[in-house]
Amino acid sequence: MTFNHLVTTLRSALRWEGQPVRPYVHPSQYRAPENVRLYSDGMHKLYEPSFLTLAISVVTLGLYVGVPHILLALLAFSWWRPAAITLGLLLVSLLLPAKPLRLPSVLSSYVFLCWRRYFKFSYLFEKSLDCYQDYVIAQFPHGAFPLGALLGGTFMATEYPGYTCYATAASSAFYVPIWRHVHAWLGTEVCTKSNFHHLLSLGVKGPLPHRHHHHNGPSEQQQQQDEPQLSSSHSGKGTPFASAAGAAAVAADEPAVSISSAGKQPLPRRRSLEQLLQSHGHAQQHSQLSLAASLRARFRHHHSLSDTESSDSESDAAEPRQGLLGRRLSIASNASSTACTCCSTCSGCSCGTQQQQQQSPQLRGHSSAPVRLGGLSSSGGSTRLRHAAPSPAGAADALLPPPEAAGPAGAGWRLDPATGGRKTGVSVGLMVGGIAEMFMIRRDHERIKLKDRKGFVRVALEHGVPILPVYMFGANQVLDFGPPWLQRLSRRMRASVGMIYGLWGLPVPRRLPIFKVTGRPMDVGPAMRKDHPDFAARVDELHAQFIEEIQRVYYTHRGKYGHGFENRPLVIC
């Protein structure tokens, strides 16, 4: 081996594999090839990570998976002062709150990128998902450690950042230092029924009208604070935004009740709780549609300035419609609140043909807080246009609901107070088998726990949310857990009592591919209340249907994974 060849080999082994370039894609255009196995983060079938990537993965995976081992070692050496201080600080960190934050800097960190390359993470979608739909993700198997769910969650957050995916985990994981806070940073909550309902209530459909949530997360509290800015107006004339109380009174055929800064008019006592909830839904829907209609009228007025000969009806007929939201408007922005009329999409156009925007009297007197919808920004009675984030085609998008959304059939969308655009859906994932599957790892077959697990079906049916069957090939093979005789004690304590081990008997996962397959969304039909007489029968029917679906997903795609899975059966307990 020559010296130059040695230097080249060392450079290749120690090369730094950076983050792949991901161009901005609007959530409405999230698409994945169906029934095609793809490798994440720019990898391909013959990809091999560098030695540096492998070293980072082995060290960080060993430290993260081996947190219980480290705590036991610190406890054993607690007579040594540094070990005692470190153990005390770790235990004190459990007093810090663990809210599902979903920090982008953590989800897209380089460590998780190395982990996905270490396992050569790949994925497959049987059907491309709708970003404006909520989902319940039922994942199998749990394995000795839920690495498959961890890799899949971080990948979705980096590849599809506009879609929100939460997760639930066993309560015992939140009593372990470091695990507790990493789970919170990734957007994970304790797997309880109330938390499951709470996370789904952050989605498109919102909270159940007949259910009271005892706690509100940061996102929901912010939404409750921001929604009045979109649905109600300050005292003043000429504003097209009806207040929530006024819309509710109209929906209930009662006189409108005005709301002022001095105080609120109490609602009539004769109205029942169900009527109040129903009127609140009408008020929110009415205010959102009024906002969209007024902004649509503002855009029509702006385009009519550049072409006075074309009428509004002709403009509507000539306008192309794209995407899920209806029409796509290309807009431009500058500091002097002027828009270029020479072209539809320009960024710093040099033609010099500019026309001063005429302020719409409908938007005067609105809240002084800025309200954004798509590419429009309104603040303090003045209106300006801004560039949306660039799409792959290079155009700026301002997406508004189509005019037909004013009818009952098009009223399913909601506005996102944070962005002003259409609210995207929320997915909530859970490991259905849980701790029980940690003791079900076998060498000759796959085994999952499902026959007596119906809680996720009940929650999905209550919200009317589709269920995604997900199977992660290879999740049972990267780590082992034991000894088996501790299974009964673990289930009683609702905690994993045992040792996790992999390479060399250490908590370092074996380097095997992990292949995540997402089946077709299973429709549960319209939402159904728990007190409905047919609720239990419907849950049993959907549960049996889901068992058949997860079996179909497994046997259809096990050949694509290889590694002996072609003849490996699936046993459902």
Side-chain angles (χ1 to χ4, degrees), residues 17 40-41 43 47-62 110-121 147 151 478-479 502-504 507-514:
E17 298 180 291
S40 69
D41 306 292
M43 294 185 293
Y47 166 82
E48 288 295 331
S50 65
F51 177 80
L52 181 61
T53 301
L54 292 177
I56 294 175
S57 302
V58 168
V59 173
T60 53
L61 280 170
Y110 187 75
V111 173
F112 291 131
L113 174 65
C114 291
W115 290 7
R116 293 193 295 269
R117 287 172 172 169
Y118 178 82
F119 293 106
K120 205 172 182 179
F121 180 76
L147 283 172
L151 299 178
V478 295
L479 287 168
L503 289 176
W504 316 301
V508 178
R510 304 177 184 92
R511 188 170 171 256
L512 294 172
I514 293 181

Side-chain angles (χ1 to χ4, degrees), residues 119-386:
F119 293 106
K120 205 172 182 179
F121 180 76
S122 58
Y123 61 97
L124 181 146
F125 288 97
E126 287 191 344
K127 185 176 182 180
S128 187
L129 305 182
D130 184 3
C131 69
Y132 300 111
Q133 173 68 54
D134 300 332
Y135 295 101
V136 171
I137 306 177
Q139 306 175 90
F140 300 90
H142 183 282
F145 194 86
L147 283 172
L150 181 62
L151 299 178
T154 56
F155 165 73
M156 289 291 293
T158 54
E159 190 71 16
Y160 307 106
Y163 194 76
T164 304
C165 296
Y166 292 101
T168 58
S171 59
S172 59
F174 288 85
Y175 292 103
V176 179
I178 300 178
W179 286 1
R180 171 186 178 88
H181 302 292
V182 172
H183 283 330
W185 297 338
L186 297 178
T188 306
E189 271 198 320
V190 179
C191 188
T192 62
K193 187 181 298 184
S194 59
N195 287 341
F196 212 130
H197 283 288
H198 163 65
L199 292 176
L200 281 177
S201 69
L202 302 177
V204 175
K205 295 190 175 182
L208 296 178
H210 61 277
R211 186 176 181 86
H212 298 277
H213 297 280
H214 299 287
H215 69 282
N216 294 333
S219 301
E220 188 174 358
Q221 291 177 354
Q222 184 67 24
Q223 178 178 349
Q224 292 176 355
Q225 295 174 2
D226 294 345
E227 276 183 352
Q229 298 178 2
L230 296 177
S231 59
S232 63
S233 61
H234 291 278
S235 59
K237 297 181 181 181
T239 56
F241 305 107
S243 65
V250 173
D253 295 331
E254 297 179 1
V257 180
S258 62
I259 296 179
S260 64
S261 58
K264 297 183 179 180
Q265 181 74 21
L267 294 174
R269 296 183 179 179
R270 294 182 179 180
R271 300 173 66 185
S272 63
L273 176 62
E274 184 175 359
Q275 291 174 340
L276 289 174
L277 294 172
Q278 183 178 5
S279 63
H280 175 70
H282 285 296
Q284 184 180 11
Q285 182 184 89
H286 176 76
S287 60
Q288 291 176 353
L289 294 176
S290 301
L291 175 61
S294 62
L295 291 173
R296 192 181 300 110
R298 177 70 186 91
F299 277 116
R300 288 174 179 172
H301 175 69
H302 165 67
H303 286 294
S304 65
L305 295 177
S306 60
D307 189 4
T308 56
E309 297 179 359
S310 62
S311 63
D312 288 343
S313 59
E314 293 173 348
S315 175
D316 289 343
E319 248 184 328
R321 299 186 180 272
Q322 300 181 12
L324 299 175
L325 298 179
R327 64 184 61 184
R328 169 173 299 175
L329 304 175
S330 301
I331 58 179
S333 168
N334 56 39
S336 61
S337 299
T338 58
C340 176
T341 59
C342 65
C343 55
S344 59
T345 58
C346 68
S347 177
C349 182
S350 59
C351 63
T353 306
Q354 295 183 346
Q355 184 172 358
Q356 184 73 23
Q357 291 185 359
Q358 302 295 329
Q359 180 184 351
S360 174
Q362 294 180 342
L363 290 179
R364 294 194 185 100
H366 188 51
S367 170
S368 59
V371 177
R372 295 171 181 258
L373 186 119
L376 182 72
S377 177
S378 174
S379 176
S382 63
T383 306
R384 64 183 178 87
L385 297 179
R386 64 176 177 85

